[in-house]
Amino acid sequence: MSHQLHLNAFLMGVGHHEAAWRHPRTEARDVLRVGHFQELARIAERGKLDSVFFADGLAVGPRIERNTQAVFEPITLLSAMAVVTERVGLIATASTGYNEPYNLARAFASLDQISGGRAGWNIVTSGTADEAANFGYDEVPDHDGRYVRAAEFVDAATGIFADPSKVHSIDHHGDRFTVRGPLNVPRSAQGRPLLVQAGSSTSGKDFAGRYAEAVFTAQRSIPEGREFYREVKALAARHGRDPGEVVILPGIVPFIAETEAAAERLEQEFTELISPEYSLRQLSRMLGLDLTDHPLDAPLPPLPPIEQIRGNQSRYQLVKDLAARESLTVRTLIAALGGGRGHRTIAGTPEQIADDLQAWFEAGAADGFNVMPRYLPGGLIDFVDQVVPILQARGLFRTEYTERTLRGHYGLGHHTSRFASVAAVAGA
């Protein structure tokens, strides 16, 4: 474990809380304003954060009348954010299910060049029926098959463009893709975008151990976090990798105020703005079961086995376990999920938030955190201006950037071309 933790800001519209757009601390129209996101990037850079990150979906979400939607394609948006920042990393989600390796590699290589080596790719397989329907599929491809495709996709999405003597064809011929190459964008200052992954199913964890350099996860307790941490690091070693080069970042959804009571009151304000109609549709998608007519004050009905879930299996299991462990009704479950869709939530003072992060870090349950502000920009400002200085004073977080690339921020070296490695061995 490095001696300092890593911090990524997971940005979503005007906040992660599903009712953030209704609260007076936000302006719903900001989701259409590029300047809003550029300002968030500046705030993150002011706090010396490692990176900012956007999730992405390839379909309109449920009950569009009840929530703001992610509007911009994230690689395009991050390109706009790159030009107003100099150091903070820029991570975008992109699907291996509904792209081709060459065009996606070209898009990320372009962002990497534009930003001076600050790009990262969050690799997802896309698991909703609405997304599948937008690309001509009658149903979501099976879970394990999506990861097989993702593995080949990542293997194929590589290339180099430089001195003619160093331009090489990829010549990838697999079960799903044939890619000649080379990529027509040169390698950046970091060599290749950082590879990020967020699935926690059996297939997802194995994929992370094989490829991921940063892992976003949704562990809710230190023992669960330590178990996940050890398992993914062990999988990395099994795949012949250095476990220290896989950074584990559990999600944290904070409400920050001058007192714990004030933070809890603020949290309650947001909870009271939740629309049950919207939340039930969200919960139905997570669990693969229509709950729209289920009584709010009853427990969940019997749930299907995880093998029948074609979407996000790790999130399904997390929600199922949460409801059972805390004996939640549907109403209390949607309240618990409203802030971060199953990620760990905490309300407290800046010192309490810092204490919590330090406890996880020192217990070996995290290398850092995926910070998910419930409302924006205020929630990010509070974290950067109030929590980060405490972590810095304790020697747990950088006071200045020491690197210029995203891989550098995460303690990873320049990624050397496989062709260069072959040449070096031949020359020796």
Side-chain angles (χ1 to χ4, degrees), residues 312-327:
N312 189 326
Q313 291 186 353
S314 57
R315 190 57 49 88
Y316 167 87
Q317 193 65 51
L318 184 152
V319 173
K320 180 181 178 181
D321 292 347
L322 173 64
R325 183 172 59 249
E326 301 185 16
S327 301

Side-chain angles (χ1 to χ4, degrees), residues 116 150 176 185 371:
R176 292 165 173 78
V185 180
V371 182

